[in-house]
Amino acid sequence: MLVRDAMSTVVLTIGPAHTLRQAAALMSTRRVGAAVVLDPDGTGIGILTERDILDSLGLGQDPDSEHAHSHTTTDVVFATPSWTLEDAAHAMTRGGFRHLIVLERGEPVGIVSVRDLIRCWAPVRQQAAQRTSA
């Protein structure tokens, strides 16, 4: 199975000037754990995750004055739609993160998360287990 089969193609994108509260509200509304931060004048493509927002709050920072650009990961590992789910899982494990931005021709076309991998693998593993126990 490939990343294109598992990824979410509706990608939440925000700008670097969004406050963390704005980002959190958008992520909550969309029920996603990460937003792609597009900064064409600066760092390019980055990612802001729920963990980044949680870390900021844990430090006592004000979510209304903290901006996405200060908390965005810009050293991002990108996947392509043709990666296998195993490739994606290995990249996430090596990097210690739960989301991969999927790029095609340099543009974000999706996000794949650990949840997406589990959603795809769980039925396959269950069917294999049923065949072995039959």
Side-chain angles (χ1 to χ4, degrees):
M1 193 169 270
L2 301 178
V3 164
R4 77 171 42 92
D5 303 318
M7 70 183 191
S8 300
T9 56
V10 178
V11 179
L12 173 60
T13 59
I14 63 171
H18 276 80
T19 67
L20 292 187
R21 183 178 306 280
Q22 290 170 324
L26 290 167
M27 291 164 64
S28 178
T29 299
R30 291 273 190 88
R31 300 182 51 80
V32 297
V36 174
V37 181
L38 299 179
D39 187 1
D41 299 326
T43 57
I45 300 172
I47 191 166
L48 179 74
T49 67
E50 57 198 359
R51 180 163 304 184
D52 297 323
I53 295 169
L54 185 63
D55 287 347
S56 175
L57 292 174
L59 292 171
Q61 296 174 335
D62 179 4
D64 292 312
S65 62
E66 290 295 314
H67 293 92
H69 69 85
S70 298
H71 301 277
T72 298
T73 300
T74 54
D75 183 20
V76 179
V77 175
F78 298 103
T80 68
S82 61
W83 276 22
T84 66
L85 295 187
E86 288 81 9
D87 292 335
H90 287 299
M92 289 178 189
T93 302
R94 277 193 309 274
F97 45 81
R98 297 177 295 169
H99 299 86
L100 280 169
I101 299 172
V102 183
L103 293 184
E104 194 165 50
R105 292 184 217 70
E107 296 294 322
V109 294
I111 287 191
V112 64
S113 69
V114 170
R115 181 179 295 154
D116 295 324
L117 299 181
I118 292 168
R119 180 179 44 81
C120 289
W121 279 339
V124 172
R125 303 277 189 242
Q126 186 177 30
Q127 289 170 0
Q130 288 172 348
R131 281 193 302 268
T132 359
S133 65

